[in-house]
Amino acid sequence: MNETDMFADAARAVLADRCTPGVVRAIEDRGLQAPEARALWTQLEATGLADAMLEEDRGGAGLGLAQAFGVLEQCGAHALPLPLGETMAARAVLDQGGQPQSGQIIALATGRLLADGGVHCAMVRSAHAADAVLVQVGSECRLLAVADARSAVQARAEDAALDWSAAQVQAAPQVAMAAGVDMRTLQAALVAAQMAGALGSVFRRTLQYANERQQFGRPIGKFQAIQHQLAVMSEQVFAARMAAQLGGTPPGGSGEGLQLDRLRVATAKARCSEAALAVAETAHAIHGAIGFTEEYDLQLYTRRLHAWRQTAGSESYWHRVAGEGLLQHQGLTLDLLRRITDVAPAH
Amino acid sequence: MSTLDSLALTCIPAQDEALRAEVRAFLAQATKEMPAHLRARSWGGYSTEFSRQLGARGWIGVTLPREYGGGGRSAFARYVLVEEFLNFGAPVGSHWIADRQSAPLILKYGTEAQKRFYIPRVCRGEAFFCIGMSEPNAGSDLASVATRAVPNAQGFLLNGQKIWTTNAHHCQYMIALVRTSGSAEDRQRGLSQVIVDLSLPGITVRPIEDLSGDSHFCEVFFDNVQLGLDALIGAEGQGWEQVTAELAFERSGPERLFSSIVLFDQWLDWVRTPAGRSEAAVLLAGKVLTQLAPLRAMSVAVQQRLAEGGSPIIEAALVKELGTTLEQFIPASIADALFAAESEDLPVELLMTLKYVTEASPSFSLRGGTRDILRGMIARGLGLR
Ligand SMILES: Cc1cc2nc3c(=O)[nH]c(=O)nc-3n(C[C@H](O)[C@H](O)[C@H](O)COP(=O)(O)OP(=O)(O)OC[C@H]3O[C@@H](n4cnc5c(N)ncnc54)[C@H](O)[C@@H]3O)c2cc1C
């Protein structure tokens, strides 16, 4: 537990210092082309966080997703526009598959094998902030360089649709997915933890704003209507955070590195996505017009919350997964709930 | 915000989990013949016989000390029991309040004589309590209670009225919040708690029918009721502090998540059949599951805090507010899912359960403090008030 906090503290220290709103905007605008991007990444590498999910004898700290929760939460809390969590997981996957590390920033995606042997990814989140993409194609993963890809625009400037030729795919390092791991589930768990952090930031900012902004001669937080909206927001943030913590917890409460329980991930991603919508909506309502401006930092978090809601399955995607699981289960719902929620305390 | 970061995932200790199998085997047998629409009443269900059976097995007062007839176990042992009772829809209403609130209150504030007199009978499932807080003009605003207990030579002379008192017509005792000094303007000051033997002369109990046709809550009138000196529980004038502590217990338990669970499970059985399955139903099942799971994790975490001797009042309020919202969402959305298609032959027993839970659901966010009051408490915890 202390060790976990240590990693989260390291992440918080670097991000609070270096991942300022100005830096976030610069990287959002220009991706890895922005000088701020490499500078920030160098700082993050120096903490050892990017390799923290490698085994200790491989130069890492042997963190599983559950122990990495605090780090991921900090990434979300600071709107980090670089895929640190994704890189941590990708490097662990590669290392387990015997691939050497090259210090790259790695995004995650699911891809489709084309008839000609090429690979197409319809959506690579943070493509422009990554050196490479670890793409799951069927039961295998390939590490493909972003610079090599044919790139098409996506709705957000940070993202892209990417295509690689058969030759590039053939030449790419390749690892098998570990049994019981699939890219979408892994990504959903990673995103949920970051959402929990962003939800917390949005909530803290809104609370602070309500205490400062004066109308009718008093802080708006003194109005009962605003108080109640903030109370409801806190409930959403609280529940989403608990759910996100569950999401990273391995099956049966103990397990290896990247092993995930799909129902726990469903809980995490569905709950965080629901909360994202509610929390962003209320935060903007309480901030009034100022929150709607580019210049005001609230948008760094709320835009990201909406994007994350659309990443690795929205709430309905995971409701379906959870619903199928529940319908296949025989007996009391309570027993499935217990399976999802009974988690041995982290040690 | 520290509140939100503070609760960690935790699990129920193995020795307490171990209770589950035995309790479940008993409940499966005991509730086998009960139709779901009756089981759906769960902690509103009433059976003195059932309470005695549980008492005989040591399943009431499990957290109370052995020397008073309790089980001497942790709060988690009770959590496991309660979770099973609610999920099976066991009729635990008669001893519910005594087990949850009154006996722990007596243990905390009572005299040795009071503990010896009341607690063992509670644990045997023989003595039932009700809560006399609300009055016609004091619901959310409890500090304005007007029922008076005026000290006199024999003890206290009680006059006034309580309302919405759950099961007053079935209970031997009420723990009432009353004014022992001062006036309504004094607000929290001058309030005390007294144990009222409901068989005393001068007491009239009148059940009130609720909109579903049940009669569980009552009006209770006190007309010159003479209480003994030993009726006072805790210190005179400390009623407000005592009641506040009591309410934290009332708000944090699994009964704020599972009031609609019998309906949900019964509906799932229907959705598991080819005729009941639909896309909308699968999504709804998943939505409820993924909302219930973090809530249970939160509720267990609050329990952990209680077990450590903390007083997680804000966290308990959060759980109750979210939990009762979900409890109300379940019947509303099941109705929507069932009637989204052209009319079908739906199982009548399911519709009867749905009818009951639909009609009962407004009470979920009233009993134990309304939504607005809880939101106010949370806002206070956030430093807004
Ligand atoms: C099934 C059931 C069982 C019950 N059992 C018991 C029992 O055993 N013992 C007992 O003592 N009581 C019991 N109650 C009473 C319950 O605790 C009260 O109903 C509750 O506290 C609300 O009080 P009220 O009904 O007087 O509503 P009011 O206090 O009149 O409230 C009406 C509305 O005004 C809102 N409101 C009030 N004050 C504020 C405020 N400051 N800010 C914003 N909104 C406000 C409320 O939220 C509510 O929406 C029971 C109630 C139910 C429904």
Side-chain angles (χ1 to χ4, degrees):
Chain A
M1 193 69 173
N2 286 332
E3 211 180 353
T4 313
D5 290 341
M6 208 174 74
F7 288 103
D9 288 347
R12 183 188 295 112
V14 173
L15 294 172
D17 206 28
R18 308 280 172 149
C19 188
T20 59
V23 169
V24 175
R25 284 185 174 82
I27 301 175
E28 279 184 351
D29 284 350
R30 300 184 54 210
L32 286 187
Q33 306 301 321
E36 290 87 348
R38 290 291 174 193
L40 176 56
W41 188 260
T42 306
Q43 290 292 325
L44 290 169
E45 281 282 13
T47 60
L49 288 170
D51 287 329
M53 288 175 79
L54 304 191
E55 291 307 322
E56 289 182 41
D57 57 8
R58 313 274 306 155
L63 298 194
L65 272 175
Q67 293 91 8
F69 175 79
V71 172
L72 298 167
E73 192 183 25
Q74 287 304 315
C75 294
H78 292 91
L80 173 65
L82 297 169
L84 174 63
E86 289 76 359
T87 301
M88 290 166 73
R91 289 188 184 179
V93 170
L94 290 165
D95 193 61
Q96 282 166 21
Q99 291 293 334
Q101 300 299 318
S102 55
Q104 289 180 308
I105 308 176
I106 308 172
L108 302 177
T110 315
R112 185 158 53 86
L113 192 64
L114 301 172
D116 67 2
V119 162
H120 171 70
C121 288
M123 165 72 86
V124 181
R125 291 286 184 194
S126 301
H128 295 300
D131 300 308
V133 190
L134 186 66
V135 184
Q136 180 183 1
V137 187
S139 60
E140 277 167 356
C141 284
R142 285 190 166 74
L143 185 67
L144 293 154
V146 174
D148 293 348
R150 200 150 39 79
S151 169
V153 293
Q154 256 297 351
R156 290 167 79 235
E158 298 91 318
D159 309 331
L162 300 180
D163 274 273
W164 290 271
S165 69
Q168 290 166 336
V169 172
Q170 284 305 318
Q174 170 188 336
V175 295
M177 280 307 263
V181 181
D182 76 279
M183 190 59 81
R184 181 175 269 258
T185 308
L186 178 61
Q187 224 179 340
L190 290 163
V191 166
Q194 296 176 69
M195 290 177 91
L199 288 164
S201 279
V202 168
F203 174 64
R204 265 189 298 271
R205 287 175 164 273
T206 310
L207 187 59
Q208 189 183 345
Y209 186 75
N211 277 319
E212 287 166 2
R213 173 69 172 168
Q214 305 243 346
Q215 289 292 321
F216 301 96
R218 50 183 167 148
I220 56 171
K222 293 290 170 205
F223 295 107
Q224 198 182 46
I226 299 288
Q227 291 177 354
H228 285 197
Q229 290 188 59
L230 282 163
V232 173
M233 200 197 262
S234 76
E235 292 162 17
Q236 293 289 328
V237 174
F238 197 156
R241 186 172 191 273
M242 281 311 249
Q245 283 179 275
L246 286 172
T249 307
S254 69
E256 285 297 297
L258 297 173
Q259 295 285 324
L260 289 168
D261 180 318
R262 233 165 111 73
L263 281 180
R264 286 190 177 145
V265 176
T267 299
K269 187 60 174 60
R271 195 65 191 85
C272 287
S273 297
E274 283 180 338
L277 193 60
V279 167
E281 183 180 301
T282 311
H284 277 291
I286 291 179
H287 273 88
I290 189 74
F292 192 61
T293 62
E294 195 286 330
E295 192 188 348
Y296 195 82
D297 294 338
L298 179 65
Q299 54 97 351
L300 299 179
Y301 306 92
T302 56
R303 279 192 303 108
R304 212 164 241 100
L305 282 173
H306 286 297
W308 276 330
R309 180 172 171 237
Q310 299 171 23
T311 302
S314 66
E315 59 269 29
S316 282
Y317 177 92
W318 291 105
H319 286 158
R320 184 177 291 106
V321 170
E324 297 284 1
L326 181 51
L327 291 170
Q328 274 160 33
H329 163 84
Q330 296 295 326
L332 299 179
T333 298
L334 174 65
D335 292 332
L336 206 56
L337 280 176
R338 289 171 49 221
R339 217 194 81 199
I340 296 171
T341 58
D342 282 345
V343 172
H347 35 260
Chain B
M1 190 60 189
S2 57
T3 296
L4 305 190
D5 295 337
S6 67
L7 288 187
L9 293 175
T10 183
C11 71
I12 298 174
Q15 71 268 24
D16 299 319
E17 261 312 324
L19 260 176
R20 199 181 291 274
E22 192 193 344
V23 180
R24 183 171 293 196
F26 170 80
L27 291 176
Q29 192 60 33
T31 61
K32 203 172 54 185
E33 305 295 330
M34 282 177 68
H37 77 273
L38 292 183
R39 288 191 292 108
R41 280 162 174 73
S42 92
W43 53 297
Y46 188 88
S47 165
T48 53
E49 172 50 30
F50 191 78
S51 290
R52 283 206 187 93
Q53 287 181 31
L54 294 187
R57 285 166 187 272
W59 291 341
I60 302 178
V62 281
T63 64
L64 302 171
R66 287 178 178 279
E67 55 172 319
Y68 302 118
R73 303 191 57 151
S74 82
F76 281 116
R78 181 170 181 277
Y79 198 93
V80 168
L81 285 170
V82 166
E83 214 169 40
E84 292 295 315
F85 293 159
L86 295 169
N87 278 274
F88 273 83
V92 287
S94 33
H95 68 268
W96 187 259
I97 285 165
D99 175 75
R100 180 179 71 186
Q101 275 165 265
S102 315
L105 181 89
I106 292 170
L107 181 71
K108 188 159 176 206
Y109 299 110
T111 62
E112 189 55 33
Q114 285 170 331
K115 293 181 203 175
R116 299 221 170 273
F117 183 72
Y118 294 107
I119 299 179
R121 282 187 300 145
V122 167
C123 296
R124 287 199 299 271
E126 291 168 12
F128 305 132
F129 279 75
C130 56
I131 303 165
M133 293 189 195
S134 304
E135 297 182 4
N137 293 313
S140 300
D141 184 14
L142 270 188
S144 62
V145 299
T147 295
R148 273 192 173 273
V150 179
N152 64 10
Q154 298 103 298
F156 299 90
L157 195 65
L158 184 66
N159 277 290
Q161 180 193 350
K162 291 290 172 183
I163 196 167
W164 317 126
T165 321
T166 298
N167 285 337
H169 54 327
H170 295 309
C171 290
Q172 297 96 327
Y173 305 105
M174 169 193 282
I175 296 186
L177 180 67
V178 297
R179 189 159 282 289
T180 43
S181 66
S183 68
E185 283 71 55
D186 292 314
R187 307 287 298 162
Q188 285 97 325
R189 284 191 300 275
L191 295 175
S192 304
Q193 284 186 298
V194 288
I195 305 178
V196 182
D197 179 340
L198 292 172
S199 68
L200 288 172
I203 298 180
T204 310
V205 177
R206 217 181 274 153
I208 305 169
E209 196 171 311
D210 76 12
L211 58 81
S212 78
D214 280 356
S215 301
H216 44 84
F217 52 25
C218 304
E219 288 178 292
V220 184
F221 301 90
F222 307 111
D223 179 14
N224 284 318
V225 180
Q226 181 61 54
L227 303 177
L229 276 169
D230 59 356
L232 183 71
I233 169 118
E236 194 185 332
Q238 287 301 301
W240 184 258
E241 286 71 23
Q242 294 175 198
V243 157
T244 312
E246 184 182 345
L247 283 170
F249 267 102
E250 176 171 354
R251 286 175 181 148
S252 58
E255 65 267 37
R256 305 306 177 184
L257 321 180
F258 290 126
S259 296
S260 300
I261 198 73
V262 170
L263 168 65
F264 186 62
D265 273 333
Q266 191 189 8
W267 172 73
L268 284 173
D269 281 342
W270 165 244
V271 179
R272 287 185 184 111
T273 68
R277 194 183 165 97
S278 69
E279 171 72 3
V282 176
L283 291 181
L284 175 58
K287 185 179 174 81
V288 172
L289 183 71
T290 55
Q291 292 209 7
L292 259 177
L295 265 165
R296 182 180 188 261
M298 290 157 78
S299 165
V300 172
V302 171
Q303 207 61 41
Q304 171 76 36
R305 191 58 62 78
L306 282 171
E308 289 161 0
S311 134
I313 293 171
I314 306 304
E315 293 88 337
L318 279 162
V319 173
K320 181 182 182 253
E321 231 272 273
L322 263 183
T324 54
T325 301
L326 182 60
E327 287 181 338
Q328 290 174 334
F329 173 79
I330 290 173
S333 54
I334 285 178
D336 186 35
L338 284 176
F339 291 95
E342 298 282 329
S343 70
E344 293 286 343
D345 282 329
L346 298 170
V348 173
E349 182 54 35
L350 173 59
L351 296 181
M352 285 170 76
T353 309
L354 176 63
K355 174 192 178 301
Y356 171 76
V357 178
T358 301
E359 291 175 355
S361 65
S363 71
F364 299 166
S365 61
L366 296 175
R367 55 190 187 190
T370 68
R371 174 159 284 145
D372 306 297
I373 294 303
L374 292 168
R375 289 181 183 173
M377 290 174 58
I378 297 165
R380 193 183 301 281
L382 296 174
L384 287 163
R385 309 178 50 186

